[in-house]
Amino acid sequence: MYRPGLLFRLRDRIAPALLGPPALAFLPALSLGAFWLGGEPVLILVSLGLPLVVAVAQAPGPGRDRVTGLLQGPGFERVVERVHAETAGGAQRSACVLLELEEFGDLAARHGPAAAEEMARLCGRRIRSVLRAEDTAARLGETRFGICLAAIAQLDLENCIQLAGRLQAAVEEPAALDGTTVYLSCSIGFCLRSRAPGRQPGDWIAAAEAALADARQHAPASIRAYAPGQHRRAATRSSLRHDVATALENGQILAHFQPQLSTETGALTGWEALARWNHPDHGIIAPAEFLQVIEDADQMQRLGQVMLTQALTALAAWDSAGLNVPAVSVNFSPGELSAPDLPDRVAWELERHGIAPERLVAEILETVVARSPDDVTTRTIRALHRLGCRIDLDDFGVGQASIAAIRRFGIHRIKIDRGFVLKADQDLEQQKMISAILTMAERLEVATLAEGVETPGEYALLSQLGCGYVQGFAIAQPMPFEATLDWIAAHKQREVATPAIGRRRG
C-alpha cells in the first residue's frame, strides 16, 4: 500500500510557505535573528542550511514528473490502490478522473518544446488549484493527467460533473506565451468508485480510460462519465482493424460533405469531402476512431482513392441536379502524395466524371509542405497544380511553411488552423494573429478560408476582418450526399432573406 515518504510529505506542506513572497520578506529578519542569538557560527549555519531546505522543497522527488512535479503513473496507481481499498465498504466515496489536453501537439509545433513544457507546468498548477489538498493529481503522459479524489462521505454524479467543469474551465483559461495568447482545450472522462466494473483498482482506472476515450470521440472539450457500454465500444475499435479492407471495397466508408461559404456574399462556394465509416453493425464511426486503424492497415492510399471517386461522383450529381456547386475539396495524405502516379490517376478520374480540373481542390497539410524537399512529394504537388487543380494549404500556422513554399507549390488558398479561430471573437491577440495572416495572404494574392468556425461570433469576426471563406459547425456539420440537396435548397432561402455582412474590397 502506498505511503509517501516523510520527507516529501513535509515538502508538500512546507513548500508554499518557504517559497512564497510572504516568507521571503522574513529572510533578512531571520538572518539578523540568527546572528543576534548565536553569533557568526549560527548565521553561517542558517545561510548554508536554508538553500538546502529550499532545494528539497523544490525537488520533484522520486516518481514525480520533471516538468510539473506531479506524481507519475506508478505513484498514481498506488494512490488509486489505497483509495480503492478505503472505499471498498461503500461508506466512503471517490472518483478517478482522467484529463486529456487537446491541440497540445500543435502548440509544441508552433512554439517549440520549451513553450510546451511551460504550458504543461501551468496546466498542472491549474489542475491542483481546483482540487482539495488531500486529492491526488498526476501526469500520466505528455498530454494526460490523472486525478484520484480522496475518500469522502458524499459524492455523486452531479458533483463529479461540476468538478470536471471546473477543471475544464481552469485548463482553458487563456495563457500568455511568447507574446501571444494561447488557448488549450481538454476532454475529461471519469468513473465513480461505486460504478467501477470489476473488483480490482486497475478496473477502476480502465473504466475512467473508457470514459475518456468516449469523450474524445465526440466534439472537442467533452466530458463523459463511465457507462458499461463504453468498454464494448473500446472492444469494437479493436475489432475494426479486421474490417478495414472489406469496408473500403464494399462501400461502407462514405464521403460526408461540409459546406464552405463566401463571407462576402454568403454563397456556397464548395464542399469538403470527409470520410465517415457506416459500419453494418456499429453505425456511423467518426474519423478520429478509424483513421489510425486504416493507417495501421496500410490502406490510406486506397481510402484516398475511394474519397476522390465519391467526391467527383457527388460533383457530377450536383451538376445533373442543376445545382451550382463550384468545387469539391479532397484531402490527400502524405502517403498518397509520395506516389508518383497520383497526378495521372487524378487526371483519369476527372476525365471519367467529366469534371474540369479547377473544380477539384487538393487539400495538403502545411506540415507536408514545410518539410518537403525537392523530391517525389514536391513533384506530385506541382503536377497537380499544372493539371489545373487548385491547392489548399490545410492547417496553416502549424507547420511553419515559408512564403517561398507557398509560391513554389502554387498554393491557391490557405486554410487558417482552428487553433487561431478558437475564441477569436473574445481575444484581441487572436484577432491580431488572424489579421496578420490575412494581410500576408492579401499581399501574396492567396485566398483564405478559416476552418473550425463553431460560433456565430467567430463567423462574424472573420467576415469583418476580411477572411474570404469559412467552414465549420457554425454553418453545418458534415452530412451525407443526400442531405446536401435539402441543405442547398434551405441555404438559398436564407441567402434571399439575409444580407451579406462581409467586408468588401475595391
Side-chain angles (χ1 to χ4, degrees), residues 301 335-345 376-377 379-380 383:
Q301 289 194 32
E336 289 180 273
L337 295 170
S338 66
D341 65 336
L342 177 65
D344 292 334
R345 287 191 280 112
V376 174
T377 298
R379 292 194 293 272
T380 300

Side-chain angles (χ1 to χ4, degrees), residues 421-432:
V421 175
L422 180 67
K423 300 181 181 179
D425 56 321
Q426 305 172 28
D427 191 318
L428 182 60
E429 294 301 322
Q430 293 282 86
Q431 294 170 26
K432 290 177 181 177

Side-chain angles (χ1 to χ4, degrees), residues 195-500:
R195 297 193 178 190
R199 299 183 177 180
Q200 301 301 318
D203 299 327
W204 190 16
I205 296 175
E209 288 175 342
L212 177 61
D214 193 50
R216 296 182 68 195
Q217 298 308 314
H218 292 75
S222 293
I223 297 172
R224 289 292 183 275
Y226 170 74
Q230 290 164 349
H231 270 313
R232 290 194 294 271
R233 286 193 286 274
T236 297
R237 286 193 290 274
S238 177
S239 71
L240 293 179
R241 296 185 180 91
H242 305 289
D243 301 337
V244 168
T246 302
L248 288 167
E249 295 303 322
N250 294 352
Q252 294 176 18
I253 295 183
L254 303 172
H256 280 207
F257 299 91
Q258 187 171 42
Q260 300 169 338
L261 301 186
S262 165
T263 58
E264 291 280 339
T265 64
L268 174 69
T269 59
W271 297 83
E272 181 180 0
L274 300 163
R276 297 293 184 269
W277 188 344
N278 189 3
H279 197 283
D281 298 324
H282 307 301
I284 298 293
I285 304 174
E289 195 166 355
F290 70 77
L291 282 178
Q292 187 61 52
V293 174
I294 292 178
E295 188 169 352
D296 292 342
D298 198 24
Q299 294 286 336
M300 287 300 289
Q301 289 194 32
R302 178 58 184 148
L303 173 64
Q305 180 65 40
V306 168
M307 293 301 295
L308 176 63
T309 299
Q310 292 188 24
L312 295 180
T313 300
L315 199 51
W318 287 317
D319 289 347
S320 298
L323 300 173
N324 179 25
V325 177
V328 65
S329 300
V330 177
N331 293 276
F332 287 90
S333 69
E336 289 180 273
L337 295 170
S338 66
D341 65 336
L342 177 65
D344 292 334
R345 287 191 280 112
V346 170
W348 184 82
E349 288 286 354
L350 288 167
E351 184 176 354
R352 183 166 73 94
H353 289 87
I355 301 296
E358 61 270 17
R359 298 181 68 194
L360 174 64
V361 179
E363 293 205 5
I364 297 166
L365 289 171
E366 187 197 7
T367 50
V368 173
V369 172
R371 65 172 179 255
S372 290
D374 191 17
D375 58 5
V376 174
T377 298
T378 300
R379 292 194 293 272
T380 300
I381 298 173
R382 286 177 174 173
L384 290 172
H385 175 63
R386 287 195 301 270
L387 181 63
C389 299
R390 290 187 292 166
I391 310 295
D392 272 11
L393 193 58
D394 201 5
D395 292 347
F396 184 80
V398 174
Q400 301 175 349
S402 67
I403 293 175
I406 293 175
R407 284 299 187 199
R408 187 170 76 249
F409 289 100
I411 303 300
H412 164 73
R413 182 169 63 182
I414 57 176
K415 295 186 72 174
I416 302 172
D417 181 65
R418 176 180 175 268
F420 293 105
V421 175
L422 180 67
K423 300 181 181 179
D425 56 321
Q426 305 172 28
D427 191 318
L428 182 60
E429 294 301 322
Q430 293 282 86
Q431 294 170 26
K432 290 177 181 177
M433 292 293 293
I434 294 173
S435 295
I437 294 172
L438 295 175
T439 300
M440 179 203 70
E442 187 172 16
R443 296 291 185 270
L444 295 173
E445 298 181 344
V446 175
T448 52
L449 184 152
E451 59 183 345
V453 180
E454 297 188 353
T455 68
E458 293 169 358
Y459 186 170
L461 172 76
L462 290 159
S463 300
Q464 292 162 7
L465 291 178
C467 182
Y469 306 91
V470 288
Q471 169 185 351
F473 283 11
I475 300 157
Q477 297 190 29
M479 63 191 79
F481 171 78
E482 295 76 14
T484 65
L485 304 177
D486 291 335
W487 189 91
I488 292 173
H491 181 68
K492 284 183 177 179
Q493 294 297 322
R494 289 193 295 272
E495 278 189 278
V496 171
T498 306

Side-chain angles (χ1 to χ4, degrees), residues 58-61 63-70 72 113 117 121 139:
Q58 290 179 320
R64 290 184 177 266
D65 178 58
R66 174 185 62 82
V67 175
T68 64
L70 300 177
Q72 293 179 308
E117 284 192 358
R121 188 178 297 112
R139 192 181 187 194

